[in-house]
Amino acid sequence: MWRWVRQQLGFDPPHQSDTRTIYIANRFPQYGLYTPQKFIDNRIISSKYTVWNFVPKNLFEQFRRVANFYFLIIFLVQLMIDTPTSPITSGLPLFFVITVTAIKQGYEDWLRHNSDNEVNGAPVYVVRSGGLVKTRSKNIRVGDIVRVAKDEIFPADLVLLSSDRLDGSCHVTTASLDGETNLKTHVAVPETAVLQTVANLDTLIAVIECQQPEADLYRFMGRMKITQQMEEIVRPLGPESLLLRGARLKNTKEIFGVAVYTGMETKMALNYKSKSQKRSAVEKSMNTFLIIYLIILISEAIISTILKYTWQAEEKWDEPWYNQKTEHQRNSSKILKFISDFLAFLVLYNFIIPISLYVTVEMQKFLGSFFIGWDLDLYHEESDQKAQVNTSDLNEELGQVEYVFTDKTGTLTENEMQFRECSINGIKYQEINGRLVSEGPTPDSSEGNLSYLSSLSHLNNLSHLATSSSFRTSPENETELIKEHDLFFKAVSLCHTVQISSVQTDGIGDGPWQTNLAPSQLEYYASSPDEKALVEAAARFGIVFIGNSGETMEVKTLGKLERYKLLHILEFDSDRRRMSVIVQAPSGEKLLFVKGAESSVLPECIGGEIEKTRIHVDEFALKGLRTLCMAYREFTPKEYEEIDRRLFEARTALQQREEKLADVFQFIEKDLVLVGATAVEDKLQDKVRETIEALRMAGIKVWVLTGDKHETAVSVSLSCGHFHRTMNILELINQTSDSECAEKLRQLARRITEDHVIQHGLVVDGTSLSLALREHEKLFMEVCKNCSAVMCCRMAPLQKAKVIRLIKISPEKPITLAVGDGANDVSMIQEAHVGIGIMGKEGRQAARNSDYAIARFKFLSKLLFVHGHFYYIRIATLVQYFFYKNVCFITPQFLYQFYCLFSQQTLYDSVYLTLYNICFTSLPILIYSLLEQHIDPHVLQNKPTLYRDISKNRQLSMKTFLYWTILGFSHAFIFFFGSYFLIGKDTSLLGNGQMFGNWTFGTLVFTVMLITVTVKMALETHFWTWINHLVTWGSILFYFVFSLFYGGILWPFLSSQNMYFVFIQLLSSGSAWFAIILMVVTCLFLDIVKKVFDRQFHPTNIEKAQMYSNTVAFSDEFIALQPLSRARNQLSKLSLLKQIQVSSAWTPCAVSQKEKQRAHLLEECWNE
């Protein structure tokens, strides 16, 4: 009974079977016992909080921080026992920290809610009650029939029922899921394919039985039971029937599909990794330092408590005449008294733990993140997109990256293929302004740059493909040369699986080899972007693929329409690395056209210019172009009959079908005649090669993780500089068993160890990776770490995340960054320490779920080398400085207890205790952490090696931490004992002969300390603006004004007036002024000497760069991060630079003396 109640309330969901039963259109059976399965709704949730759980969940996460939890305990202690300071001194800062952090995190989650609402509220059309009903995406239920129109995104995982095509097929692109931009064909079962209207679908009675949701994008098993005329028909369902959420409908007017998986059970959502709270390495260091300081605090409290009782062991100190105990105090438990004293000392020294550190860090991260969005260098003008910051908690992590994992399609490339060059019968051509131009002289002309195809205008008619022996030899005249070109481009136009959106043939190709007609009038869709680029190129040169009409392929050549009957398609596979078509020409010949990689086509050729073409292919590859070879073969009637019979037997075999097809394909694709080769450029994004090279120089390892095919991915890796031509490329692909994979890994490891000179690159496919990660993680990691570059292809989204996790948990614990642009990249973006979304052509899923979003991959260099470097240096200094100034603050309090019998008397007034971190010392370090530029940004971006100097959290190493801590203790000793020996026993300080009291002494120590820590911050500042001057010197001035005001008036609401006239009395003493100046100079003198010595004799790379950048080149990088006034000043100088040409005429062009000085400076900077 209780279990049933819990199930009804949703706390204990009922046991799910391995399959789900879906009644199409939710037509449940009217008879018999039926218990409907419950399915979730279609809402997508990427947010972290709800209205109900925000407060408890956020508080829980915040109190996981050591400092927050510590101050909560201190606050409770102050409430429970009598302590030297008020509970407000701890409670108010704690409340402020919690509130500011909650507001910031709540705002960021509110943005995620808005993004989810936009997706869930998208309009969709659902078939209900015999008609189309418009509703919202979140209202789709499992079993609903959904209509999707052309170019719309599927709102759920749908099983295709019908389309506007008679065969029930449709084309989709899954770029946002697996990164592939090619077109995929999906088909409906024959019984539902004919139901193309809402009225017909309303008569459908069918049930789908399929597996429960799983993350594998390429796996789906089910069956459909269709009831027609009282007869039940069962049809199998596979991946070809499933339309995935996030994919886009292409080349099809509309489709109808039934929802089988919805909401967070769709394959796209299952490939999302749950969003977890990311914590930076700096925050982890902060927690470590806090624990160390907590140990120091507890040690000081224990020492003080023990010494107090040791001192009070003597009766005269236990109960002096001026401080008699009450009866209750005499009879109280000594153990409880000891604990109470320990807690009191804990409260007295608790300011050594800087809670305001977290406030300042939160404000620095939040305010500092705006600089990324404001940086014009990260603005992409073409798409009108600026950089976005979705999570400001990881700004400094941008300066610690050691591994970059990047998607390929849409991240490194533009998703645009362009035909560049080709080789036809041993002659190399390139496309220039739409014309095919040969690079060298042809047999009939001595002119090199002659467009042979322009000479075709005299031809009125080209017959079908000639197959005489003359085609197998070099052309002897112009007509034969033209036939060679015709044959080559016929092969290009026929050997493919390209589809056409709309056919408008009027005027296409009417003139010979026209270049300005076909591309604008035909819209091609292809299973490979290479195929699309090649067919478009052939159309530009006059042989236009018009489309498929049933089993007929139509090609228009110079205005003449030719129809070829498509007999067979020999599909591409990664083993053969080629594809073929068998067609029947208009005159009846049976022809085989083959297209594939040179390594798989050239060995099968027996004719054509094989060696010349091989040389051309190598030349194309050296340019980073993607190459394919074209060949053909003519069949005799008897040969074709044999081929047709063997193909039919292999394709209908129930067992070993793949092996039999491979044998038949090999039998067919032999004795070929080579006609040429193509070279296509997969257009890279601007400055991708330079960015990857800069990342390498910065000591960052780059991995490419893509869902693309092996050959495509390797080709792009070579063209973008990820793989070098001199690299030895190792391959771990097509592994089928654990033992085979292990043996291959051992072979690769041996090859790497035996060769110490050549750089190695590793290529891994998804299947082999699964085997490697299952049993051989260590061996796989050993191979990867010894490779200069790694490329993983055919990766499922969750596999990408697993690879990153494998690197994250390795012994070195490196900081990882993932870059991607599609929904298939969301898992790896969320798994990495830092996730970067590219706002590209594959939707906004990656950008919405990332920590940072940029428009182009090239912006990554400035994001890391400039912003990351600055953020890390700023926050590292902020953290160290906070601990330093709090050690300076509390150590004199501890030393003072030795002179007051450990009576827990405070050295400072309670107002000073409260305001020290909140007002007096907060602004200089905050402004420093926002505006500091210790090196010119231009230098940082052009010297990526400087990034190595801050890697591995070096600025927050234990050595640096100890230096700042010891510095703080030494300064504190100078403050206290300097004040004590200079002033404490001198009776001539005041004109009336009075000595200083304890409040005057404490105020003197506080004044020296405040000036010292503020000037110390000034010494750390390299980049001075008017804001820095205002807050630095303004903080000291504010302290003096406040102290005069606070101590010069009797405040009626204060219970004690300890500070009345104290500060005024202190400043009236010349000796006090001398002591202040002497102690400040003493504290900072050694620090200055150390800095000068280190810079002159042991300069770091950063210090060398600082000296190098003393003369600054005025550039956008320099301006982007500066305050408004200075940016305006630099912009005026930049304007002058644009007006004056970069030449020796700079100085004469200047009119005034001031302009001449500027021009001299600009010329020096430019030459530098």
Side-chain angles (χ1 to χ4, degrees):
M1 178 65 182
W2 175 242
R3 180 177 177 81
W4 179 86
V5 172
R6 288 180 57 82
Q7 288 181 359
Q8 298 307 307
L9 292 174
F11 294 114
D12 191 8
H15 174 70
Q16 287 189 338
S17 62
D18 293 334
T19 61
R20 57 170 53 188
T21 303
I22 301 160
Y23 291 84
I24 296 181
N26 291 305
R27 294 189 181 92
F28 302 113
Q30 302 297 322
Y31 53 87
L33 183 63
Y34 170 69
T35 303
Q37 291 178 304
K38 291 186 178 181
F39 306 112
I40 66 172
D41 58 29
N42 199 40
R43 287 181 299 169
I44 290 292
I45 301 172
S46 64
S47 55
K48 192 165 123 183
Y49 303 109
T50 66
V51 175
W52 308 109
N53 71 8
F54 175 72
V55 173
K57 190 172 182 179
N58 188 265
L59 287 177
F60 172 75
E61 289 181 348
Q62 291 206 57
F63 282 115
R64 286 168 59 192
R65 288 177 168 172
V66 176
N68 289 352
F69 183 73
Y70 162 76
F71 270 91
L72 176 65
I73 298 298
I74 292 295
F75 177 65
L76 295 176
V77 168
Q78 288 178 295
L79 290 176
M80 289 186 294
I81 68 171
D82 182 24
T83 57
T85 56
S86 167
I88 296 176
T89 58
S90 296
L92 191 61
L94 177 64
F95 176 78
F96 183 69
V97 171
I98 298 298
T99 304
V100 170
T101 306
I103 291 173
K104 183 182 79 73
Q105 294 181 351
Y107 171 73
E108 290 174 347
D109 204 61
W110 176 72
L111 295 178
R112 287 191 284 267
H113 272 283
N114 287 345
S115 177
D116 291 342
N117 292 337
E118 182 181 347
V119 174
N120 296 328
V124 294
Y125 287 91
V126 178
V127 177
R128 287 179 184 162
S129 304
L132 271 181
V133 178
K134 186 177 181 180
T135 183
R136 296 182 182 277
S137 174
K138 64 181 179 182
N139 297 327
I140 294 176
R141 298 171 298 173
V142 171
D144 281 345
I145 298 176
V146 182
R147 192 204 77 170
V148 180
K150 181 183 176 182
D151 290 328
E152 290 183 351
I153 294 175
F154 299 115
D157 288 352
L158 311 174
V159 166
L160 179 62
L161 295 178
S162 65
S163 71
D164 64 328
R165 301 170 184 264
L166 293 176
D167 59 357
S169 66
C170 72
H171 302 287
V172 304
T173 176
T174 58
S176 65
L177 294 172
D178 56 14
E180 293 190 9
T181 55
N182 56 334
L183 229 59
K184 294 180 172 63
T185 303
H186 293 259
V187 292
V189 298
E191 287 74 19
T192 64
V194 297
L195 308 176
Q196 296 181 310
T197 65
V198 175
N200 290 338
L201 286 168
D202 198 44
T203 64
L204 176 63
I205 301 175
V207 179
I208 293 176
E209 294 178 350
C210 62
Q211 62 188 139
Q212 293 291 358
E214 66 171 29
D216 192 338
L217 294 174
Y218 310 107
R219 187 168 182 267
F220 176 71
M221 292 187 296
R223 60 183 180 178
M224 183 185 296
K225 298 178 180 178
I226 308 160
T227 304
Q228 288 184 348
Q229 300 176 353
M230 304 301 292
E231 181 182 354
E232 187 175 83
I233 303 172
V234 180
R235 292 289 184 187
L237 299 175
E240 71 282 352
S241 304
L242 187 67
L243 306 172
L244 301 178
R245 176 172 190 153
R248 189 182 295 272
L249 182 64
K250 287 286 189 182
N251 203 16
T252 310
K253 184 179 178 182
E254 67 176 11
I255 64 97
F256 290 94
V258 57
V260 290
Y261 305 128
T262 54
M264 300 306 291
E265 289 184 340
T266 58
K267 290 184 180 290
M268 182 183 78
L270 291 174
N271 275 281
Y272 283 172
K273 190 177 179 296
S274 59
K275 195 171 182 69
S276 58
Q277 181 77 14
K278 294 183 179 180
R279 298 191 180 277
S280 67
V282 170
E283 188 170 340
K284 294 172 184 174
S285 296
M286 283 167 53
N287 288 337
T288 303
F289 297 160
L290 283 169
I291 292 173
I292 293 173
Y293 270 65
L294 188 60
I295 294 171
I296 294 174
L297 168 66
I298 293 173
S299 301
E300 288 183 347
I302 292 174
I303 291 170
S304 298
T305 308
I306 293 173
L307 289 177
K308 176 180 180 177
Y309 281 90
T310 303
W311 212 308
Q312 292 180 354
E314 297 183 39
E315 187 175 349
K316 65 175 182 177
W317 297 123
D318 182 35
E319 191 175 353
W321 60 270
Y322 55 85
N323 189 17
Q324 296 291 315
K325 292 182 180 179
T326 63
E327 193 64 30
H328 174 72
Q329 289 176 330
R330 293 192 183 96
N331 297 328
S332 61
S333 170
K334 290 187 178 181
I335 295 177
L336 292 177
K337 180 60 177 170
F338 183 90
I339 295 174
S340 176
D341 283 332
F342 169 75
L343 293 175
F345 279 118
L346 210 61
V347 171
L348 186 64
Y349 303 147
N350 81 86
F351 285 96
I352 198 173
I353 306 292
I355 189 172
S356 56
L357 169 64
Y358 277 105
V359 183
T360 310
V361 166
E362 291 292 342
M363 293 179 67
Q364 188 268 349
K365 289 182 176 182
F366 181 69
L367 297 175
S369 63
F370 287 102
F371 286 112
I372 293 178
W374 292 340
D375 191 345
L376 293 179
D377 288 339
L378 302 183
Y379 170 73
H380 190 244
E381 190 173 358
E382 294 178 14
S383 58
D384 190 28
Q385 292 170 336
K386 64 178 184 178
Q388 297 177 5
V389 179
N390 300 326
T391 304
S392 59
D393 291 337
L394 303 171
N395 293 342
E396 66 277 7
E397 206 80 331
L398 294 170
Q400 296 295 296
V401 175
E402 298 173 61
Y403 280 83
V404 167
F405 298 88
T406 176
D407 180 39
K408 180 190 74 66
T409 310
T411 303
L412 300 179
T413 67
E414 293 277 13
N415 278 348
E416 295 177 7
M417 298 287 187
Q418 293 183 349
F419 176 85
R420 292 300 184 198
E421 300 184 49
C422 65
S423 172
I424 304 176
N425 198 39
I427 302 174
K428 190 161 63 170
Y429 299 88
Q430 64 183 98
E431 184 180 3
I432 300 177
N433 297 326
R435 299 166 66 86
L436 207 59
V437 179
S438 66
E439 290 192 0
T442 66
D444 299 299
S445 175
S446 60
E447 298 181 15
N449 293 328
L450 173 67
S451 177
Y452 278 89
L453 301 187
S454 65
S455 65
L456 295 173
S457 57
H458 68 280
L459 292 178
N460 297 318
N461 179 36
L462 284 175
S463 61
H464 64 269
L465 295 179
T467 57
S468 64
S469 61
S470 63
F471 269 62
R472 298 172 176 82
T473 61
S474 299
E476 297 177 357
N477 53 55
E478 187 179 271
T479 303
E480 292 299 324
L481 177 64
I482 294 170
K483 287 182 179 180
E484 293 288 355
H485 289 83
D486 180 69
L487 176 61
F488 175 80
F489 284 107
K490 285 283 180 64
V492 171
S493 299
L494 294 172
C495 186
H496 57 74
T497 56
V498 172
Q499 303 291 327
I500 294 182
S501 174
S502 60
V503 179
Q504 300 177 3
T505 60
D506 296 339
I508 299 179
D510 293 337
W513 307 97
Q514 296 296 313
T515 64
N516 58 349
L517 297 173
S520 62
Q521 298 176 348
L522 291 174
E523 187 177 1
Y524 292 116
Y525 292 97
S527 59
S528 165
D530 301 73
E531 288 190 334
K532 181 174 182 288
L534 292 176
V535 173
E536 287 176 343
R540 289 196 299 273
F541 303 136
I543 298 184
V544 185
F545 172 64
I546 301 301
N548 294 331
S549 178
E551 295 181 349
T552 302
M553 299 182 74
E554 297 180 349
V555 176
K556 183 177 276 192
T557 306
L558 303 176
K560 178 184 177 182
L561 186 65
E562 299 178 357
R563 291 183 172 87
Y564 293 83
K565 184 177 181 181
L566 180 61
L567 301 176
H568 294 286
I569 296 178
L570 280 57
E571 296 85 357
F572 175 88
D573 65 64
S574 57
D575 293 329
R576 286 166 45 242
R577 300 182 66 188
R578 58 180 180 258
M579 73 154 292
S580 305
V581 294
I582 302 176
V583 297
Q584 181 176 329
S587 57
E589 293 99 332
K590 306 292 192 305
L591 300 168
L592 169 75
F593 289 111
V594 181
K595 175 178 66 180
E598 75 281 359
S599 59
S600 61
V601 173
L602 295 182
E604 305 297 334
C605 293
I606 60 172
E609 298 289 347
I610 298 176
E611 292 306 318
K612 288 183 179 179
T613 304
R614 192 192 306 274
I615 293 172
H616 291 165
V617 167
D618 291 340
E619 292 175 356
F620 296 153
L622 287 173
K623 297 178 182 178
L625 302 177
R626 298 157 62 90
T627 58
L628 291 171
C629 289
M630 310 296 300
Y632 83 101
R633 175 185 176 185
E634 181 185 358
F635 297 122
T636 64
K638 185 175 181 181
E639 286 176 335
Y640 179 73
E641 288 179 8
E642 172 71 9
I643 287 169
D644 189 52
R645 180 185 62 80
R646 294 184 63 171
L647 275 173
F648 178 78
E649 291 176 354
R651 283 176 169 156
T652 54
L654 295 178
Q655 295 180 344
Q656 297 182 334
R657 179 182 298 180
E658 293 180 353
E659 290 82 354
K660 291 180 179 179
L661 278 174
D663 292 339
V664 177
F665 289 171
Q666 185 62 37
F667 172 74
I668 296 171
E669 296 169 331
K670 64 180 182 180
D671 300 334
L672 305 175
V673 177
L674 184 66
V675 294
T678 63
V680 176
E681 180 184 20
D682 184 0
K683 188 177 179 182
L684 291 173
Q685 289 187 16
D686 188 29
K687 295 186 178 178
V688 166
R689 178 184 286 272
E690 293 88 340
T691 303
I692 291 178
E693 188 59 36
L695 292 173
R696 277 210 186 95
M697 290 175 64
I700 299 173
K701 293 186 177 180
V702 181
W703 288 33
V704 176
L705 310 180
T706 177
D708 265 2
K709 298 173 184 176
H710 164 231
E711 295 81 8
T712 305
V714 171
S715 177
V716 174
S717 285
L718 287 168
S719 61
C720 73
H722 179 238
F723 284 165
H724 291 297
R725 298 287 169 188
T726 56
M727 246 181 213
N728 184 19
I729 308 298
L730 309 176
E731 292 188 344
L732 182 67
I733 57 176
N734 300 328
Q735 303 300 305
T736 57
S737 65
D738 282 336
S739 57
E740 182 184 354
C741 182
E743 180 58 33
K744 184 66 175 178
L745 282 171
R746 283 190 282 269
Q747 290 179 8
L748 296 178
R750 283 196 297 269
R751 286 184 60 182
I752 292 173
T753 53
E754 289 169 2
D755 189 350
H756 300 285
V757 179
I758 300 176
Q759 286 187 322
H760 298 279
L762 178 65
V763 182
V764 191
D765 63 5
T767 306
S768 305
L769 181 70
S770 298
L771 294 172
L773 297 184
R774 188 186 306 167
E775 298 281 343
H776 319 291
E777 279 190 10
K778 291 183 179 179
L779 188 57
F780 176 70
M781 282 299 300
E782 180 185 344
V783 172
C784 289
K785 287 178 181 178
N786 290 315
C787 290
S788 303
V790 179
M791 194 272 293
C792 303
C793 58
R794 276 299 180 201
M795 299 281 286
L798 284 181
Q799 280 184 314
K800 294 183 179 182
K802 286 180 180 177
V803 169
I804 294 177
R805 178 158 185 79
L806 182 65
I807 299 297
K808 279 175 63 177
I809 63 176
S810 62
E812 294 82 8
K813 299 287 189 300
I815 303 299
T816 58
L817 179 145
V819 193
D821 68 321
N824 61 311
D825 304 315
V826 170
S827 295
M828 74 169 184
I829 283 173
Q830 293 182 343
E831 177 63 52
H833 292 93
V834 183
I836 308 289
I838 301 291
M839 296 176 283
K841 300 177 182 178
E842 297 184 11
R844 290 291 183 269
Q845 291 94 332
R848 281 199 299 264
N849 288 275
S850 64
D851 302 308
Y852 303 89
I854 53 179
R856 287 294 182 268
F857 183 79
K858 66 178 180 179
F859 295 152
L860 189 63
S861 61
K862 180 161 190 186
L863 193 64
L864 299 184
F865 302 153
V866 179
H867 288 281
H869 196 114
F870 281 157
Y871 284 133
Y872 176 72
I873 291 293
R874 291 165 181 169
I875 203 166
T877 306
L878 184 151
V879 170
Q880 303 281 28
Y881 176 77
F882 252 93
F883 284 109
Y884 156 78
K885 72 185 183 74
N886 278 43
V887 168
C888 291
F889 183 40
I890 290 303
T891 304
Q893 180 81 67
F894 173 68
L895 297 174
Y896 184 60
Q897 296 306 304
F898 287 87
Y899 295 87
C900 67
L901 293 182
F902 296 93
S903 60
Q904 298 157 11
Q905 168 65 39
T906 176
L907 178 64
Y908 313 118
D909 183 73
S910 60
V911 173
Y912 287 164
L913 281 170
T914 305
L915 298 183
Y916 174 74
N917 281 316
I918 295 178
C919 295
F920 296 147
T921 60
S922 59
L923 282 180
I925 183 60
L926 177 62
I927 297 302
Y928 170 92
S929 66
L930 291 175
L931 303 180
E932 171 65 2
Q933 296 181 28
H934 62 298
I935 305 178
D936 175 54
H938 182 79
V939 176
L940 280 178
Q941 193 160 6
N942 287 282
K943 291 198 168 194
T945 51
L946 294 175
Y947 192 83
R948 296 172 182 255
D949 290 355
I950 62 168
S951 62
K952 299 187 182 299
N953 206 13
R954 291 181 185 176
Q955 300 299 316
L956 286 175
S957 64
M958 192 57 63
K959 178 182 177 181
T960 312
F961 168 72
L962 290 175
Y963 167 75
W964 279 88
T965 301
I966 294 170
L967 187 68
F969 277 113
S970 62
H971 285 181
F973 274 77
I974 294 174
F975 303 153
F976 184 82
F977 289 108
S979 300
Y980 180 77
F981 290 115
L982 286 174
I983 291 177
K985 296 182 179 180
D986 193 338
T987 58
S988 62
L989 291 174
L990 299 177
N992 58 7
Q994 290 182 352
M995 292 177 61
F996 281 166
N998 66 308
W999 293 115
T1000 311
F1001 176 76
T1003 304
L1004 175 63
V1005 173
F1006 189 87
T1007 304
V1008 175
M1009 173 189 61
L1010 181 71
I1011 296 173
T1012 302
V1013 298
T1014 305
V1015 176
K1016 171 64 178 173
M1017 187 73 262
L1019 290 175
E1020 295 298 319
T1021 303
H1022 295 87
F1023 185 71
W1024 283 92
T1025 68
W1026 66 267
I1027 302 178
N1028 294 84
H1029 285 291
L1030 177 66
V1031 299
T1032 301
W1033 316 122
S1035 294
I1036 298 174
L1037 181 63
F1038 171 74
Y1039 163 70
F1040 278 88
V1041 173
F1042 173 82
S1043 297
L1044 288 171
F1045 189 64
Y1046 170 59
I1049 299 175
L1050 289 171
W1051 299 98
F1053 54 84
L1054 293 178
S1055 58
S1056 64
Q1057 299 284 189
N1058 297 326
M1059 294 298 295
Y1060 179 68
F1061 220 66
V1062 168
F1063 196 70
I1064 298 172
Q1065 191 179 49
L1066 176 67
L1067 296 185
S1068 66
S1069 171
S1071 301
W1073 281 103
F1074 174 76
I1076 291 172
I1077 295 171
L1078 180 62
M1079 283 186 284
V1080 170
V1081 171
T1082 303
C1083 287
L1084 299 177
F1085 178 74
L1086 292 177
D1087 195 38
I1088 294 172
V1089 170
K1090 179 183 181 300
K1091 282 181 176 293
V1092 172
F1093 181 83
D1094 288 344
R1095 184 175 288 266
Q1096 292 298 320
F1097 299 103
H1098 304 288
T1100 63
N1101 290 331
I1102 290 179
E1103 289 170 344
K1104 291 177 183 177
Q1106 287 172 343
M1107 291 183 278
Y1108 166 79
S1109 62
N1110 282 337
T1111 304
V1112 178
F1114 302 115
S1115 61
D1116 292 339
E1117 291 90 342
F1118 184 62
I1119 293 169
L1121 302 179
Q1122 301 195 30
L1124 184 59
S1125 62
R1126 177 162 287 208
R1128 190 182 294 115
N1129 183 32
Q1130 303 303 333
L1131 280 171
S1132 67
K1133 297 179 181 179
L1134 185 61
S1135 176
L1136 175 66
L1137 174 60
K1138 290 180 179 178
Q1139 294 171 11
I1140 302 173
Q1141 296 298 321
V1142 182
S1143 68
S1144 59
W1146 271 12
T1147 306
C1149 287
V1151 179
S1152 67
Q1153 185 64 30
K1154 185 175 182 181
E1155 287 178 344
K1156 288 183 178 181
Q1157 292 174 353
R1158 282 188 182 178
H1160 275 303
L1161 177 59
L1162 288 170
E1163 190 172 3
E1164 290 172 7
C1165 296
W1166 190 275
N1167 294 333
E1168 185 77 23

